[in-house]
Amino acid sequence: MKTLLAGVVGWPVAHSLSPRLHGYWLAAHNIAGSYVKLPVARQDFAYVVLALQRAGFAGVNVTIPHKEAAFALAGQIDDAARATQAANLLVFQEDGTILARNTDVFGLRSSLENELGITTLKGRHVVIAGAGGAARAAVVALCALEAQRITVLNRSQGRAEALVRTLASSFQVQLATGNFADWPDLAADVALLVNCTSIGLGHEPQFMLDLKLLPATARVCDVVYQRSGTALVRDARQLGLPAIDGLGMLMYQAVPSFAAFFGITPEVSPALRRYLEVDLA
Ligand code: NDP
């Protein structure tokens, strides 16, 4: 039987949980497949991707710093990748073309729905902290959930403005930027706060927005994940606010990738979360 091959391309990629995640599903479904870490420097990205395609890989996931390059490389692009101008999944198709997809959007939306019980954000205001790739995916996911107003707060104002310029024309949403000092004026009507900065990974300073200013009905989502949970999630829960970390987003974004590589739609379960938590540094 032919072994199906896939992997994750990044730099660095040593920390990636994706091989463990896909390995769990490969074993659960008894699939003759392999999913490997592929450390690839920025300048080698296009060359290596084309070589993997020729070597018979089914496709690859793409992580920092290659998501924009993956988008640029592909011949076909799905709606989420087009909206975010970044791809985290490249599918090598039978006709030789490469399809770029962004499954972070699906991952965040599924995590909000399944773990935080958010099925719609109609008429609601969401604040996103951060303006990088994860924040772009968050804007698209929140628009799919029909948020009425999204405010993007970021340390570098220019980056937040660039994000809004790219996305504003594609969605029927009030999309605005601000900086962290605006938080006291915004917090009172926020239905959901999403942290898309890398604060919480361990080496950065504490999260800068005072959660006590949120209304009691607010929810909190951190796209960052840590073995013992992130400080943001802990603080939110201490205030009685429902809160989730980024492990859910990670697990759900992998579902369409696994289906594209190995032909089966796998399940996200509490057992899978526990299995991944063991491997978190
Ligand atoms: P980027 O590098 O594109 O963006 C990083 C963001 O964090 C920027 O907005 C940056 O602000 C902000 N930031 C970093 N340090 C600080 C700080 N000390 N104070 C204030 N803001 C800061 O990264 P991504 O958007 O790709 O990823 C962001 C986080 O999301 C990462 O931790 C990543 O691991 C996580 N992630 C999780 C996923 C999941 O599946 N759970 C999927 C994708 C990402 P500035 O613009 O001012 O530099």
Side-chain angles (χ1 to χ4, degrees):
M1 193 195 295
K2 187 183 166 207
T3 300
L4 297 164
L5 293 171
V8 54
V9 178
W11 187 270
V13 78
H15 65 283
S16 174
L17 278 183
S18 293
R20 190 166 167 86
L21 178 48
H22 286 266
Y24 178 93
W25 285 328
L26 285 169
H29 293 283
N30 203 17
I31 294 172
S34 187
Y35 184 103
V36 291
K37 287 178 189 174
L38 298 157
V40 176
R42 195 186 281 273
Q43 66 275 14
D44 298 331
F45 177 73
Y47 172 76
V48 171
V49 165
L50 297 176
L52 292 169
Q53 183 185 27
R54 294 200 67 162
F57 272 60
V60 286
N61 286 119
V62 177
T63 187
I64 289 174
H66 302 307
K67 288 186 180 181
E68 286 81 13
F71 167 77
L73 181 83
Q76 288 177 43
I77 295 160
D78 79 357
D79 288 345
R82 194 179 309 283
T84 53
Q85 298 190 3
N88 69 329
L89 168 61
L90 293 176
V91 184
F92 303 148
Q93 305 188 109
E94 283 188 1
D95 64 2
T97 56
I98 298 178
L99 168 66
R101 298 177 59 185
N102 186 314
T103 70
D104 284 338
V105 173
F106 172 84
L108 181 59
R109 181 179 177 173
S110 302
S111 171
L112 291 172
E113 286 174 340
N114 295 314
E115 300 187 312
L116 215 40
I118 293 177
T119 51
T120 178
L121 287 162
K122 220 173 204 165
R124 313 307 296 274
H125 179 201
V126 181
V127 166
I128 297 174
R136 278 173 190 247
V139 169
V140 179
L142 297 167
C143 287
L145 288 167
E146 301 179 279
Q148 181 181 5
R149 184 177 162 211
I150 299 173
T151 307
V152 178
L153 304 181
N154 198 46
R155 182 177 59 180
S156 320
Q157 190 66 22
R159 200 166 178 200
E161 282 162 8
L163 179 153
V164 166
R165 263 199 311 279
T166 312
L167 292 172
S169 59
S170 307
F171 298 99
Q172 298 246 326
V173 64
Q174 296 168 38
L175 193 51
T177 64
N179 54 51
F180 300 131
D182 299 328
W183 177 243
D185 301 325
L186 294 167
D189 79 336
V190 168
L192 174 68
L193 169 66
V194 184
N195 174 40
C196 291
T197 72
S198 38
I199 291 176
L201 278 178
H203 36 280
E204 286 88 359
Q206 277 200 319
F207 193 66
M208 66 308 268
L209 305 179
D210 182 358
L211 301 185
K212 292 194 204 77
L213 300 179
L214 283 167
T217 52
R219 287 153 202 254
V220 174
C221 170
D222 195 347
V223 302
V224 175
Y225 47 86
Q226 286 277 314
R227 182 174 195 161
S228 50
T230 65
L232 175 61
V233 170
R234 269 196 307 278
D235 291 350
R237 288 180 181 162
Q238 257 174 21
L239 291 168
L241 306 174
I244 55 169
D245 69 4
L247 203 51
M249 178 179 175
L250 180 84
M251 293 187 288
Y252 282 106
Q253 62 79 30
V255 169
S257 299
F258 190 87
F261 300 148
F262 303 115
I264 286 178
T265 300
E267 194 195 354
V268 170
S269 64
L272 173 59
R273 173 179 274 271
R274 284 194 297 275
Y275 179 77
L276 295 176
E277 277 170 351
V278 170
D279 210 34
L280 280 174

